[in-house]
Amino acid sequence: MSVPYHHGNLRNALIAEGRRALEEIGVHELSLRYLARKAGVSEAAPSHHFAGKEGLLAAIAADGFRDLAALRATIAASDETALSKAYRMMRVYVEFAQRYNGLFELMVGPRIVARDSYPELSTEITKSFRLFASSVEQFALEKQWEEQSLTLVTHAAWSVEHGLATLILSDRMPRSDKPLSIDQVVEFSISMFLSAVAAGASSLEDVIRQLPDSETAPKWGLKSDL
């Protein structure tokens, strides 16, 4: 079925059709010609809105990050606790990946090589990440982590959510020989990470001191004014 559109919104119609196509045929089969046919326009029409297939894919990925950022903005604007916001920020990333498998693969995968060449995409990526990072940082600050450690805390949180999403989408988690539900693993993994943040930097230092090469490990001390 063709996507209904009027003069001026063909670009949005093609992006919407492209998102549907990602879930049905995948990124490799998606083309400007395919979308033109779906939208009921000439094969040349999409080229007026996108700089080739990669330009199209960048626009679709930007649209995905825009939707993810909107979900995160709602969480950020809520009256929930810092802990709850951090948890939901991480969980919504995994849920978004599960719901939009093909789109998510495009958003985070290697298909778009020159991401920085597309300002719209860069802007939406940054917006989504900042909403996520701010919530994790706020929770860490409540638990007396030093500001110099916040970037590492955020990257650790990112590793958890992204690791969960990619393992789930690649059908590698949970293992077939382990009787676990995906929801169990997601809830436990995010909660375990946040419990480590809640325990504070001193707890992490205790663990590090027991690890090999602990003498060269960086220290994550508590705020100096406490």
Side-chain angles (χ1 to χ4, degrees):
M1 179 181 296
S2 297
V3 177
Y5 72 94
H6 55 77
H7 180 71
N9 80 341
L10 177 57
R11 184 179 188 275
N12 291 337
L14 291 169
I15 289 173
E17 193 62 63
R19 288 181 58 159
R20 282 190 286 271
L22 283 173
E23 309 304 328
E24 296 172 2
I25 64 174
V27 66
H28 298 294
E29 300 299 322
L30 182 61
S31 67
L32 292 174
R33 179 178 298 180
Y34 174 90
L35 290 185
R37 186 167 62 251
K38 284 288 187 179
V41 297
S42 70
E43 292 185 3
S47 64
H48 297 303
H49 300 278
F50 307 105
K53 181 176 178 177
E54 181 146 314
L56 164 68
L57 296 179
I60 295 173
D63 199 55
F65 276 108
R66 187 178 297 110
D67 283 358
L68 178 58
L71 293 172
R72 285 177 156 171
T74 299
I75 296 170
S78 71
D79 294 328
E80 298 179 43
T81 64
L83 169 59
S84 180
K85 287 183 180 181
Y87 176 84
R88 290 185 61 204
M89 284 284 185
M90 296 175 69
R91 178 132 197 171
V92 78
Y93 184 89
V94 180
E95 292 172 345
F96 189 92
Q98 291 176 287
R99 183 175 182 182
Y100 304 107
N101 192 326
L103 175 62
F104 183 80
E105 182 180 357
L106 172 65
M107 289 164 60
V108 304
R111 179 58 185 81
I112 303 173
V113 178
R115 289 173 175 267
D116 293 340
S117 300
Y118 301 98
E120 179 189 22
L121 177 57
S122 296
T123 296
E124 298 303 333
I125 290 174
T126 299
K127 185 186 302 181
S128 174
F129 188 83
R130 284 180 176 170
L131 286 163
F132 152 76
S134 294
S135 71
V136 174
E137 290 172 0
Q138 183 58 46
F139 178 57
L141 287 170
E142 281 193 5
K143 301 305 176 181
Q144 314 305 326
W145 287 79
E146 289 186 341
E147 290 192 12
Q148 68 187 38
S149 299
L150 295 182
T151 299
L152 279 171
V153 173
T154 298
H155 276 67
W158 186 18
S159 299
V160 171
E161 66 173 13
H162 188 70
L164 286 167
T166 53
L167 284 171
I168 291 169
L169 295 192
S170 62
D171 292 325
R172 297 180 62 188
M173 189 187 75
R175 287 176 55 91
S176 58
D177 59 341
K178 301 295 182 182
L180 293 171
S181 72
I182 289 178
D183 281 346
Q184 278 182 305
V185 177
V186 172
E187 181 176 359
F188 181 83
S189 299
I190 296 176
S191 298
M192 184 169 63
F193 167 77
L194 293 174
S195 70
V197 176
S202 59
S203 178
L204 175 59
E205 289 177 357
D206 289 341
V207 172
I208 289 177
R209 280 191 288 269
Q210 300 176 57
L211 299 177
D213 302 322
S214 61
E215 292 184 2
T216 61
K219 304 306 179 187
W220 325 105
L222 296 170
K223 285 185 176 180
S224 58
D225 60 345
L226 296 179

